[in-house]
């Protein structure tokens, strides 16, 4: 079974679906708190299903459009035992000029991996369930994971960030499976 078919069977919307190309609708918090909590619960349930069939050594994330919900919510599970990051109405406010390129995969087209340039540091504003704005700085691998999920909420796939002339490679050719991303000086 192809990896993409396995993800489809687990409830992940696949590349080509309109919901993945459209910006997700923001939550009006705290008024839509119950709806936001329901969507986040569905994201955690999807991550649990997916995590049972595929290990993610570099961490993983999933955005609401990937499970068929056009709302601005995503969850990122960092590698190791770190707590999950819930992103509601996330918006990148600053990006470092310093970039790096690493291979990324996507649950919505899991048969390939792509070499994606991303900023090493990003500052993200999210909305708490209470309606307050929360600002967080992410760096390196965590910045990459968070940025990838925010792209989904903006209707972008990682292929939109790849350099011109660089194409995704079949997962079978991708040799770093299970290895952490490497950052100089880390």
């Amino acid at each position: 079974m192809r990896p993409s078919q396995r993800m489809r069977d687990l409830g992940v919307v696949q590349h080509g679906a309109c919901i993945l190309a459209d910006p997700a609708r923001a939550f009006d918090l705290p008024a839509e708190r119950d709806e936001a909590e329901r969507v986040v619960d569905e994201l955690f349930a999807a991550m649990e299903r997916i995590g049972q069939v595929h290990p993610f050594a570099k961490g993983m994330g999933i955005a609401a459009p990937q499970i068929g919900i056009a709302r601005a919510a995503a969850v990122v599970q960092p590698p190791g035992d770190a707590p999950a990051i819930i992103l509601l109405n996330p918006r990148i406010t600053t990006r470092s000029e310093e970039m790096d390129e690493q291979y990324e995969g996507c649950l919505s087209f899991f048969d390939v991996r792509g070499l994606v340039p991303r900023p090493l540091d990003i500052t993200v504003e999210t909305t708490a369930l209470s309606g307050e704005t929360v600002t967080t700085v992410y760096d390196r691998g965590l910045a990459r994971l968070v940025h990838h999920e925010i792209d989904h909420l903006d209707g972008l796939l990682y292929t939109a960030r790849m350099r011109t002339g660089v194409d995704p490679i079949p997962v079978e050719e991708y040799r770093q499976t299970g290895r952490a991303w490497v950052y100089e000086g880390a």
Side-chain angles (χ1 to χ4, degrees):
M1 177 186 301
R2 298 291 302 150
S4 59
Q5 183 60 49
R6 176 168 283 157
M7 290 301 139
R8 181 180 285 111
D9 292 348
L10 291 167
V12 178
V13 174
Q14 292 301 295
H15 181 261
C18 293
I19 196 169
L20 296 178
D22 294 332
R25 188 165 54 92
F27 290 97
D28 177 13
L29 293 168
E32 290 187 293
R33 180 186 184 116
D34 290 348
E35 175 67 3
E37 287 177 333
R38 184 190 67 76
V39 171
V40 168
D41 287 346
E42 288 193 38
L43 289 167
F44 274 112
M47 284 180 71
E48 178 67 25
R49 286 191 309 273
I50 294 161
Q52 287 178 3
V53 300
H54 188 87
F56 291 89
K58 298 172 188 167
M60 74 168 288
I62 191 163
Q66 291 182 281
I67 58 170
I69 302 170
R71 298 304 303 265
V75 175
V76 170
Q77 179 59 61
D81 296 329
I85 298 164
I86 297 170
L87 302 166
L88 296 173
N89 303 339
R91 186 172 67 86
I92 297 173
T93 57
T94 60
R95 297 165 168 80
S96 66
E97 300 234 347
E98 191 178 0
M99 308 275 286
D100 88 310
E101 255 186 347
Q102 305 278 352
Y103 277 99
E104 294 183 17
C106 182
L107 300 174
S108 291
F109 52 114
F110 211 54
D111 296 336
V112 295
R113 300 294 182 267
L115 195 56
V116 183
R118 294 212 186 260
L120 279 174
D121 302 291
I122 58 172
T123 303
V124 177
E125 283 186 356
T126 57
T127 309
L129 290 170
S130 63
E132 295 172 86
T133 299
V134 178
T135 302
T136 309
V137 177
Y138 298 102
D139 68 356
R140 301 176 185 244
L142 204 47
R144 179 170 294 281
L145 286 166
V146 168
H147 197 183
H148 180 113
E149 297 313 320
I150 292 173
D151 276 353
H152 275 299
L153 301 178
D154 291 337
L156 297 174
L157 297 175
Y158 73 69
T159 49
R161 301 254 181 227
M162 293 174 67
R163 286 182 289 115
T164 304
V166 176
D167 294 317
I169 61 170
V171 70
E172 295 82 5
E173 289 179 27
Y174 174 64
R175 299 286 179 229
Q176 284 197 306
T177 303
R179 283 197 214 141
W181 287 311
V182 177
Y183 291 93
E184 291 181 24

